[in-house]
Amino acid sequence: MSMPCIFITGAAAGIGAETARLFAQNGWFVGLFDIDETGLHKLQQELGQHVCMTGQLNVADEAQWQKALTAFFSKTGRLDVLLNNAGILASGKCTEIPLKRLHQLIDVNVKGVLNGCYLAYPYLKQTANARIINLCSASALYGQPSLAVYSATKFAVRGLTEALELEWAGDGIRVMDVLPLFVQTSMVTNMDANSIKNMGVSLTAIDVAQTIWQAANYQKRLAKVHWTVGFPTRGFYALSGAAPDFISRTINQFISRKG
C-alpha cells in the first residue's frame, strides 16, 4: 500500500474517532480498533471502506492484539503510526472505588499500551520513519486527588514513552505521547473530581486529534517526546519541569480544592 497507515485503538468514539476522520481526510489509510463493534461499523460507513478497516480489540488481551496487528499488516504491508488511544477512567476517593475497577484501569491504560508497543514493534521496524503515539494526560505531571490510579497509569505511560523513545531510536522508531487536560468526551461525563469542577473542560477531541496529526508528521531531527494540548497544559508542563515540588503540590492542591 502506497498511502501512509495508522492503527488506532479506542477508535469508535471521542479522540480516536476524530483522529480517524482527520487522517482519512488527509489521505491516510486508517485501522479502526475498539471493543465497540457498533461504533466501529458506524464510523467505517462514514469514512468509506476504501480508506479504513475495522477490528474488535480489547487492548488488555494479547491474543486480540496479535490477531488485529496481523490482519492490519497483511492488508497494508506497513505500519506508519500506532496510536495507543484506548483508555478508561474512574474518579472519586480511591478507597471508595472498587479495587476490581482500579485493576481494570491498570489492565487497559498500562498493560494495553505495553501490549501495543511490544507487539507492534516488529511491524514498526519494517516501516521507514514509523512512530508510536501514546495518549497520556496532564494527570501525569503531578498525582491528582480523586484520580489517583488514573493518574498513576498515565505516569506509567509517560515513563514507558520516554524509555522506549531512547531505546528504539536506533531502530528508526519515534515514540511520543500527547498530554491534554480534560477533554469534552464521554469519559469525563459525571466525573467526580474537584479539579474538573474548578477548571472546566475547554478542550475538544478535535483539538487533541490535531496535536496527534502534528506529532505523526513531525520530521525535525531534534526529538520531541511530549506534546501538550492547550495553553493551560503547556503551563503546567513548564512548571512541572522547573518549579520545586512544593509549588507543584500547592498548585494541584488549589485546583482540586472543594468549591
Side-chain angles (χ1 to χ4, degrees):
M1 184 172 289
S2 59
M3 66 176 67
C5 304
I6 182 171
F7 183 112
I8 303 174
T9 68
I15 293 168
E18 289 297 348
T19 301
R21 292 185 181 101
L22 179 59
F23 278 69
Q25 289 165 5
N26 283 276
W28 285 56
F29 184 84
V30 183
L32 309 172
F33 296 88
D34 203 301
I35 58 173
D36 177 8
E37 291 184 286
T38 301
L40 289 178
H41 178 72
K42 183 178 179 181
L43 184 57
Q44 185 181 42
Q45 294 287 95
E46 175 191 333
L47 298 181
Q49 295 188 10
H50 63 291
V51 297
C52 64
M53 66 176 289
T54 66
Q56 188 176 27
L57 173 61
N58 173 357
V59 295
D61 188 313
E62 178 184 342
Q64 289 190 25
W65 264 109
Q66 292 278 24
K67 180 179 178 181
L69 286 166
T70 298
F72 182 83
F73 200 78
S74 294
K75 185 174 183 66
T76 64
R78 59 192 296 165
L79 176 55
D80 295 273
V81 176
L82 167 64
L83 176 61
N84 279 313
N85 168 69
I88 58 175
L89 179 148
S91 60
K93 291 184 178 179
C94 185
T95 52
E96 294 178 1
I97 301 170
L99 186 58
K100 183 177 180 180
R101 178 61 175 169
L102 298 179
H103 286 177
Q104 288 174 339
L105 264 68
I106 294 170
D107 287 341
V108 174
N109 297 359
V110 180
K111 293 182 180 178
V113 172
L114 174 59
N115 286 342
C117 294
Y118 189 97
L119 297 172
Y121 172 79
Y123 304 108
L124 293 161
K125 195 174 179 181
Q126 295 179 61
T127 308
N129 198 32
R131 61 198 64 194
I132 294 172
I133 302 174
N134 296 323
L135 237 296
C136 197
S137 168
S139 298
L141 301 179
Y142 197 91
Q144 295 296 303
S146 299
L147 295 169
V149 175
Y150 176 80
S151 184
T153 66
K154 294 305 181 179
F155 269 91
V157 169
R158 179 177 174 179
L160 182 67
T161 300
E162 291 173 350
L164 293 183
E165 189 276 326
L166 293 169
E167 190 171 324
W168 292 354
D171 296 316
I173 303 169
R174 298 193 185 212
V175 187
M176 310 166 170
D177 59 28
V178 173
L179 297 91
L181 261 171
F182 306 117
V183 183
Q184 295 171 20
T185 67
S186 60
M187 183 179 284
V188 302
T189 302
N190 299 319
M191 189 171 132
D192 181 15
N194 290 321
S195 52
I196 194 171
K197 298 170 187 174
N198 293 328
M199 299 189 66
V201 184
S202 59
L203 292 177
T204 67
I206 295 174
D207 294 326
V208 183
Q210 289 172 342
T211 301
I212 293 168
W213 172 257
Q214 293 171 8
N217 290 280
Y218 180 77
Q219 298 297 337
K220 294 181 180 179
R221 294 185 64 183
L222 182 67
K224 182 174 172 61
V225 181
H226 303 300
W227 294 73
T228 57
V229 187
F231 179 77
T233 314
R234 285 195 291 274
F236 288 136
Y237 179 76
L239 279 172
S240 72
D245 283 348
F246 80 89
I247 293 180
S248 295
R249 181 184 184 278
T250 301
I251 291 171
N252 282 277
Q253 184 180 41
F254 178 76
I255 65 175
S256 60
R257 73 197 186 284
K258 289 186 178 180

